[in-house]
Amino acid sequence: RPRPPSSSTPGKEGEHCSNLAEVQLSEGLETIGNNTFYDCKALQQVIIPSRITKLGHGAFSYCSNLASVQLHHGLEIIEYRAFYECTALRNVTLPSSVTELGVWAFDGCTNLTEMILLGGKKLLNQGFLKRGLSSGRGVLNQQALHEMIGHGSALRDCPATNAFPHCPLTTLKISVPRALSERMERLPRECRLSIEQRVHDLRRLELTQDGNILTCFPLIRMPSDWNSVEDTNDETAESLHQVLKLISFHELKESSILIELAMWKSSLVKEGARADCRTSVPDPAKSLVMEYCGFTGFLEPSIEGA
């Protein structure tokens, strides 16, 4: 069980070590060099420490029994064929710190069926997350995704990648930003359950065990081992828009504005019945409240006589 030295780039201690079943990587490492664990067929699990920023060419190529890879935040670059022919890999989660996914990085991973990108803050359009379909923009930040996985693709209409040739992967999953999850967490439990049930019912959205939402985008097969990443028929955008509307609705419903107005009125009419302390919000104020709370585009105020 070798332990690579504390250096910026370990040598090839593990290369062709067919009986190497476990490896512990020093926290002092910054890079795993080219072909470092090439053809380590007995290796089944690896945890990449947070200090490592780069996986070199073929770093884990031909590790055919490597079934679990934990990539921590801090990793930035996964180079050419880093996980080539890792046929036991079934799912991989890339931290939001990853800025470059190399050519054929997961080529030949014949059991890889799930790829999750935790970079929703940069890979999803922030304008869409604020205003939904009314923003006039799609949910996918095509430029940011292209910079991460494009590798010089000449396609202009949509991002494309050649990181997954000869894989059964059909969908790329991108997590929503943490800020949106926090909005859900602040809601009462019954409201959260309502939203979670809605997510289960909508197409191209998934709910993780810890309550985060994943947006799903089809990988469209193209010639020469390329896959385009598309929100075909805007289905992902439509589904996420519905969730954003529901979150906004519950936020407004739970708002303390009406309660504060009722309490203010009750302090003036102390002898009145509780029902008499109810107060309505004037129509002009409704529109101002909606705009102030950022709900314009998701919800429309009910205007009397409209």
Side-chain angles (χ1 to χ4, degrees):
R1 189 173 70 180
R3 183 185 183 91
S6 296
S7 61
S8 60
T9 306
K12 299 182 179 180
E13 288 85 355
E15 184 175 356
H16 295 296
C17 292
S18 58
N19 293 319
L20 178 65
E22 183 180 351
V23 62
Q24 294 181 359
L25 299 173
S26 169
E27 282 291 341
L29 291 175
E30 297 178 4
T31 300
I32 295 181
N34 300 345
N35 302 312
T36 300
F37 298 102
Y38 179 94
D39 201 31
C40 294
K41 296 187 182 301
L43 189 62
Q44 298 182 21
Q45 178 180 356
V46 65
I47 299 175
I48 306 299
S50 58
R51 291 289 299 275
I52 290 180
T53 61
K54 178 180 176 181
L55 302 182
H57 298 171
F60 294 94
S61 288
Y62 293 103
C63 293
S64 55
N65 284 299
L66 183 61
S68 175
V69 175
Q70 296 182 39
L71 307 174
H72 287 283
H73 186 82
L75 180 65
E76 298 176 2
I77 299 173
I78 300 175
E79 288 199 340
Y80 170 81
R81 285 187 167 175
F83 294 96
Y84 179 64
E85 293 282 352
C86 291
T87 53
L89 272 181
R90 296 183 179 275
N91 55 77
V92 175
T93 298
L94 299 187
S96 59
S97 55
V98 172
T99 59
E100 181 181 332
L101 186 60
V103 174
W104 302 331
F106 292 90
D107 185 9
C109 295
T110 53
N111 284 297
L112 183 63
T113 57
E114 182 176 65
M115 177 65 62
I116 299 175
L117 310 184
L118 299 181
K121 187 174 182 179
K122 61 182 178 181
L123 298 178
L124 300 179
N125 277 322
Q126 296 304 300
F128 183 94
L129 295 173
K130 292 178 180 178
R131 301 190 61 193
L133 293 172
S134 64
S135 68
R137 305 179 65 184
V139 63
L140 189 63
N141 187 334
Q142 296 185 353
Q143 180 178 351
L145 186 60
H146 180 78
E147 290 174 355
M148 176 182 175
I149 66 176
H151 312 301
S153 168
L155 293 177
R156 296 182 179 180
D157 295 335
C158 59
T161 179
N162 58 357
F164 313 108
H166 310 109
C167 296
L169 194 67
T170 60
T171 303
L172 203 62
K173 302 177 182 180
I174 302 176
S175 65
V176 301
R178 180 61 188 163
L180 185 59
S181 298
E182 289 175 347
R183 286 174 62 187
M184 289 180 57
E185 292 172 0
R186 288 194 291 266
L187 293 171
R189 183 174 181 275
E190 61 272 15
C191 298
R192 293 199 307 272
L193 292 176
S194 171
I195 295 171
E196 290 173 0
Q197 182 58 53
R198 185 62 175 149
V199 171
H200 285 301
D201 295 338
L202 290 168
R203 290 173 57 84
R204 294 196 192 161
L205 294 183
E206 291 185 11
L207 192 69
T208 63
Q209 291 184 346
D210 56 2
N212 290 327
I213 297 174
L214 300 177
T215 55
C216 305
F217 300 91
L219 285 175
I220 309 300
R221 299 291 177 186
M222 303 171 61
S224 304
D225 295 330
W226 284 86
N227 295 301
S228 64
V229 185
E230 303 180 25
D231 183 10
T232 50
N233 300 319
D234 292 325
E235 286 191 43
T236 306
E238 291 280 358
S239 293
L240 188 57
H241 180 80
Q242 294 299 318
V243 173
L244 293 170
K245 284 181 62 176
L246 192 56
I247 292 174
S248 297
F249 168 77
H250 284 299
E251 285 176 330
L252 187 60
K253 181 180 177 182
E254 298 300 321
S255 171
S256 62
I257 295 175
L258 294 181
I259 297 175
E260 290 177 359
L261 288 174
M263 291 177 63
W264 175 73
K265 185 175 182 180
S266 66
S267 67
L268 297 179
V269 191
K270 295 183 179 180
E271 303 300 326
R274 188 174 184 84
D276 295 335
C277 295
R278 290 178 174 271
T279 183
S280 61
V281 179
D283 290 343
K286 289 180 182 178
S287 297
L288 290 174
V289 168
M290 300 286 277
E291 182 177 355
Y292 177 79
C293 294
F295 297 144
T296 305
F298 291 118
L299 304 174
E300 294 295 335
S302 175
I303 306 299
E304 295 180 7

